[in-house]
Amino acid sequence: MKKLILLFAFIPFLGCAEMQQVIQQLPQTQGVLSQTEIASGLKEALNKGIDKQVVKLTNVDGFYKNEMVKILLPEELKKVDKTLRDIGMSKLADEGLKVMNRAAEDAVKEATPIFVDAVKGMSFNDAKNILLGDDRSATTYLQNTTTSALYTKFSPVIKNSYAKVGADKVWSQIITKYNSIPLVKKVNPDLTDYTTNKAMEGVFKMIAVEEKDIRNNLAARTSDLLKRVFALQDGK
């Protein structure tokens, strides 16, 4: 029973093949719920996590107006931002921050299938090893095991997104203007690398929010099937 309870706490992060494998290994003591219903509930929970938290990051202002994941300027550019504002160029500084977040929003839109595949690629043995973890143990595992591969995929998308949303031109203007100011130390930041890492950080952060919610919040079970399936863990 303890194994069953822990399984349902972790289900938003199991792929369909792994879900069926887990179900087949459970004792056949699920009462009125069939294996098919349980599998459907697990699949629904997985899709809910992706749709509710990752996909909304792709919307306009998905990053920019979400204080949990909004991409702020790196330390190197804070002095650039302050200097521009001091000389009356606040509008340009504001635009620089906005387009950085727009690039992240656009990149997550293009790269979401990659992230979904990474989640579904988690093996059954991997899942068993983290079933006893805390409210974000699945997220932490994904972050530790997929960051390198995701970076490789996200980085070119971010680079293309900078061009697509006009961020490259805005930041070229900002850096050129700043470096032309007498006596300042010239800067040449790698904004693609910075934004790529922050976009990934935001995705993992929002996945962690949904993981915790489904584990602990009855209201997060928004369909009859989710309520029936997750009720199996409430007897702990």
Side-chain angles (χ1 to χ4, degrees):
M1 182 62 185
K2 184 175 181 181
K3 179 180 177 182
L4 178 62
I5 290 169
L6 291 168
L7 166 66
F8 286 117
F10 178 69
I11 65 172
F13 301 92
L14 291 177
C16 295
E18 286 71 27
M19 290 190 291
Q20 189 59 42
Q21 187 176 2
V22 171
I23 290 166
Q24 290 172 349
Q25 295 191 24
L26 291 174
Q28 299 304 303
T29 57
Q30 316 307 333
V32 298
L33 283 177
S34 67
Q35 288 191 354
T36 299
E37 287 174 314
I38 294 172
S40 297
L42 298 178
K43 183 177 181 181
E44 183 177 338
L46 174 62
N47 290 334
K48 180 175 180 289
I50 294 169
D51 291 342
K52 184 177 179 182
Q53 299 297 348
V54 178
V55 174
K56 71 182 180 182
L57 291 176
T58 69
N59 296 331
V60 173
D61 293 329
F63 274 85
Y64 189 59
K65 291 188 177 180
N66 182 341
E67 293 303 319
M68 287 189 65
V69 297
K70 182 178 181 180
I71 300 176
L72 303 178
L73 295 176
E75 196 64 38
E76 181 183 10
L77 292 181
K78 289 180 180 178
K79 58 186 177 182
V80 175
D81 182 82
K82 183 179 185 304
T83 301
L84 289 178
R85 296 182 190 282
D86 288 345
I87 63 175
M89 301 188 70
S90 295
K91 185 175 181 180
L92 181 60
D94 289 341
E95 185 65 14
L97 184 61
K98 181 184 291 186
V99 294
M100 183 179 291
N101 282 271
R102 289 287 183 266
E105 292 157 8
D106 188 58
V108 173
K109 183 186 306 179
E110 298 297 329
T112 294
I114 298 167
F115 186 77
V116 171
D117 287 343
V119 174
K120 291 183 177 179
M122 182 182 292
S123 72
F124 176 63
N125 285 334
D126 291 334
K128 288 195 301 183
N129 290 335
I130 61 177
L131 286 176
L132 293 175
D134 59 23
D135 280 350
R136 61 162 293 137
S137 61
T139 305
T140 299
Y141 173 81
L142 289 173
Q143 193 165 7
N144 290 339
T145 57
T146 67
T147 290
S148 178
L150 286 174
Y151 183 93
T152 299
K153 297 294 185 180
F154 267 65
S155 185
V157 177
I158 289 284
K159 186 175 182 179
N160 290 336
S161 296
Y162 258 83
K164 183 177 178 180
V165 304
D168 53 348
K169 294 180 180 179
V170 172
W171 274 102
S172 176
Q173 183 181 356
I174 289 173
I175 298 303
T176 298
K177 182 63 180 179
Y178 177 79
N179 286 341
S180 69
I181 299 172
L183 304 180
V184 302
K185 182 180 179 180
K186 291 179 171 49
V187 297
N188 185 29
D190 186 347
L191 292 179
T192 296
D193 174 75
Y194 177 77
T195 307
T196 297
N197 281 304
K198 287 299 181 181
M200 291 170 54
E201 182 181 308
V203 168
F204 286 123
K205 186 173 291 186
M206 297 312 294
I207 284 291
V209 168
E210 188 64 15
E211 178 183 1
K212 183 176 181 179
D213 198 34
I214 292 178
R215 286 181 186 259
N216 298 286
N217 183 8
L218 293 176
R221 304 165 194 178
T222 54
S223 73
D224 180 65
L225 182 59
L226 283 178
K227 290 173 183 177
R228 294 171 64 206
V229 170
F230 278 92
L232 295 173
Q233 74 169 8
D234 295 338
K236 61 183 178 181

